[in-house]
Amino acid sequence: MNVSNYLNAIEEADLYKRFGKVQRVVGIMIESIGPAVNIGEVCYIHPTINLNKKPVLAEVVGFHDENIILMPYNEVTEIGPGCLVESTGKPLTVKIGRGLIGNVIDSLGKPLDESALPNGLSSYLTEQSPPNPMSRPTISEHIQVGVKAIDTMLTVGRGQRIGLFAGSGVGKSTLLGMIARNSTADINVIALIGERGREVREFIEKDLGPEGLKKSIVVVATSDQPALMRIKGAYTATAISEYFRDLGYQVNLMMDSVTRVAMAQREVGLATGEPPTTKGYTPSVFSILPKLLERTGTNKNGAITAFYTVLVDGDDMNEPIADTVRGILDGHFVMDRKLAEQGQYPALNVLKSISRVMNNIAGKEHRELAQTARALLAKFEDNKELIQIGAYKRGTDQEIDKAILYYPKIMNFLKQDVFESLSFEETLEKFKALLNGGS
């Protein structure tokens, strides 16, 4: 054994703890003089009055002159002038492992029921670089989602990234619960970002259910938590997905919603002095979105199939976040409020939706069936007003006659009860029978 290496390490070790001091707190921003830190490092802020209180965890988000700007992961109720700021010298890490499956955790990886973490977990950085583009295998096989409208007409590939675009109250969370229960993925990682506290337990118990929770890890950052916790919720969920992907698992990552992550980043950006741009969003919002979304997908070990919900204000599909996310992802599914009001569930507007990899992963017969159904729906929609007011006479146009016959059948087929479960093969057989003259 070479003792000299150990002696050298001891001699070179820095045994001093270096502290800074809080100078001021403005809104959600804490400014301190020292210590020497880098952007992204985690610090402890020690209360000076109530010494029995736990130190506040904060992250370095910027610099102002020579002062450090920190943002806390929790509320800043015990911080005053002169509080000591201690650097950990490293960015945020969370404990990840198979023992987390079936648990509900917060953005820092701690169980929400305040129980102890299981043994055998590994420390993992929440911020990782996206895989090298040349090391990403192409998407070549489909994954069963268990939703008829998606499996037949918007087929999803293993490792694809999809955006679910919808206004509030159209059924995004319920659809995610269906996918989590019915999908053939090995593990679900579900990030509930900026959700109402009431909806968290409701989603876990009703939408996800005991069967879905058995193969899921749920990361929760509710709307009342600081902006940094909401951002870290997205990063933690993505890091957990990456960990299991690297072990060779097929992972489903479901994030509800990426819009609230962008809103949280806007809060951080404005607090650190960034100029507001489109709709008040700061430039950092548009730089973190590609970094976050590109981390998912395929790599040489496994695949993360990602579903990101996007809230569209006033059902405006061209608002800044929706437009940016749509340009990054491999497809977009639009949930239509009009369909929801008509009792069509899931309220997916298949004519406005697209899966960019479907042509590469679906067989020739499947593609032809989907194109036929899409053409029939489009033909009916184009002539809907004429048909509804009785201005169209049957027999005038053979294609319109066929669309009138098949439209209600296709729409009825695309309807699905929340707890109805069908395999990919069963769904495709029924779809084929429908378009080949079945009922």
Side-chain angles (χ1 to χ4, degrees):
M1 187 171 69
N2 193 349
V3 179
S4 61
N5 289 341
Y6 291 97
L7 293 174
N8 290 336
I10 291 169
E11 285 177 10
E12 292 171 7
D14 186 359
L15 303 178
Y16 289 96
K17 278 190 176 181
R18 290 172 176 81
F19 294 90
K21 278 191 176 182
V22 171
Q23 188 178 39
R24 66 172 186 158
V25 177
V26 181
I28 59 173
M29 181 187 75
I30 301 165
E31 201 169 305
S32 79
I33 302 170
V37 288
N38 296 318
I39 291 280
E41 283 185 17
V42 173
C43 294
Y44 290 112
I45 303 175
H46 298 273
T48 52
I49 299 171
N50 189 348
L51 299 177
N52 294 323
K53 273 279 186 182
K54 288 183 180 179
V56 174
L57 207 59
E59 184 176 308
V60 180
V61 294
F63 301 98
H64 181 254
D65 295 331
E66 291 185 6
N67 291 353
I68 296 158
I69 299 172
L70 301 129
M71 283 208 168
Y73 288 118
N74 33 27
E75 296 301 327
V76 288
T77 51
E78 300 290 332
I79 294 174
C83 284
L84 294 178
V85 180
E86 177 192 352
S87 173
T88 62
K90 56 185 181 181
L92 181 67
T93 59
V94 292
K95 296 283 187 180
I96 305 175
R98 291 183 181 90
L100 276 186
I101 299 171
N103 281 298
V104 182
I105 60 174
D106 66 11
S107 301
L108 305 180
K110 297 172 184 175
L112 276 190
D113 59 5
E114 298 183 348
S115 62
L117 279 169
N119 296 324
L121 303 182
S122 308
S123 292
Y124 200 84
L125 284 170
T126 58
E127 293 197 37
Q128 301 282 341
S129 298
N132 186 314
M134 294 304 292
S135 69
R136 285 184 185 267
T138 55
I139 298 168
S140 57
E141 56 181 305
H142 70 261
I143 184 170
Q144 175 187 306
V145 173
V147 178
K148 290 189 286 186
I150 297 173
D151 282 343
T152 53
M153 299 187 68
L154 301 163
T155 311
V156 173
R158 197 180 297 279
Q160 188 176 354
R161 299 160 306 153
I162 294 291
L164 291 172
F165 292 74
S168 55
V170 186
K172 298 183 302 297
S173 298
T174 310
L175 181 60
L176 289 183
M178 286 178 70
I179 294 169
R181 289 194 311 272
N182 300 337
S183 171
T184 51
D186 301 320
I187 293 171
N188 299 311
V189 180
I190 303 165
L192 302 178
I193 310 297
E195 284 287 329
R196 304 172 190 89
R198 174 188 64 82
E199 289 183 338
V200 172
R201 192 162 178 179
E202 197 174 280
F203 174 83
I204 292 165
E205 292 181 359
K206 293 184 178 178
D207 296 332
L208 190 57
E211 287 302 311
L213 187 59
K214 277 182 188 175
K215 65 169 189 174
S216 302
I217 299 168
V218 184
V219 182
V220 176
T222 49
S223 57
D224 60 298
Q225 292 185 339
L228 208 56
M229 280 290 268
R230 282 174 270 145
I231 296 167
K232 290 300 169 185
Y235 280 96
T236 297
T238 307
I240 293 169
S241 304
E242 290 170 322
Y243 173 85
F244 285 105
R245 176 180 64 185
D246 291 342
L247 292 178
Y249 287 88
Q250 304 301 330
V251 185
N252 272 355
L253 170 64
M254 285 166 269
M255 192 177 292
D256 186 14
S257 72
V258 76
T259 308
R260 293 191 180 113
V261 178
M263 288 175 175
Q265 181 61 36
R266 176 173 62 184
E267 284 182 49
V268 173
L270 291 172
T272 54
E274 283 188 71
T277 55
T278 318
K279 280 203 173 180
Y281 287 105
T282 55
S284 63
V285 174
F286 302 102
S287 68
I288 72 150
L289 283 175
K291 290 176 186 174
L292 176 65
L293 303 180
E294 284 290 345
R295 285 169 63 180
T296 54
T298 59
N299 76 357
K300 60 185 178 182
N301 299 313
I304 302 170
T305 307
F307 298 88
Y308 298 98
T309 68
V310 183
L311 280 167
V312 285
D313 294 335
D315 297 328
D316 176 18
M317 288 295 295
N318 296 315
E319 63 99 27
I321 299 303
D323 204 39
T324 303
V325 171
R326 190 168 54 242
I328 298 167
L329 298 178
D330 309 318
H332 54 272
F333 298 169
V334 178
M335 300 191 77
D336 196 325
R337 193 176 298 278
K338 285 183 180 178
L339 289 175
E341 289 166 353
Q342 292 166 9
Q344 179 78 24
Y345 187 82
L348 282 165
N349 188 326
V350 293
L351 294 178
K352 291 182 180 178
S353 307
I354 190 168
S355 169
R356 291 182 181 167
V357 303
M358 182 175 175
N359 287 340
N360 302 330
I361 57 173
K364 185 182 177 184
E365 185 184 28
H366 182 178
R367 290 199 307 271
E368 287 173 353
L369 289 170
Q371 285 163 4
T372 301
R374 192 178 280 268
L376 289 167
L377 292 176
K379 180 62 74 174
F380 184 88
E381 289 293 338
D382 288 344
N383 297 277
K384 193 172 186 177
E385 290 183 7
L386 290 175
I387 296 164
Q388 287 178 336
I389 64 172
Y392 174 76
K393 291 183 179 179
R394 286 180 183 259
T396 308
D397 187 309
Q398 194 175 355
E399 287 185 13
I400 298 176
D401 290 346
K402 191 176 179 183
I404 292 169
L405 176 65
Y406 275 94
Y407 182 84
K409 293 180 180 179
I410 294 170
M411 294 304 287
N412 190 55
F413 171 80
L414 296 178
K415 272 187 186 178
Q416 187 170 344
D417 184 75
V418 174
F419 294 100
E420 183 184 351
S421 178
L422 287 170
S423 71
F424 187 88
E425 290 73 22
E426 287 175 319
T427 303
L428 208 55
E429 281 301 315
K430 289 191 174 186
F431 189 51
K432 184 179 175 182
L434 170 72
L435 292 175
N436 287 340
S439 58

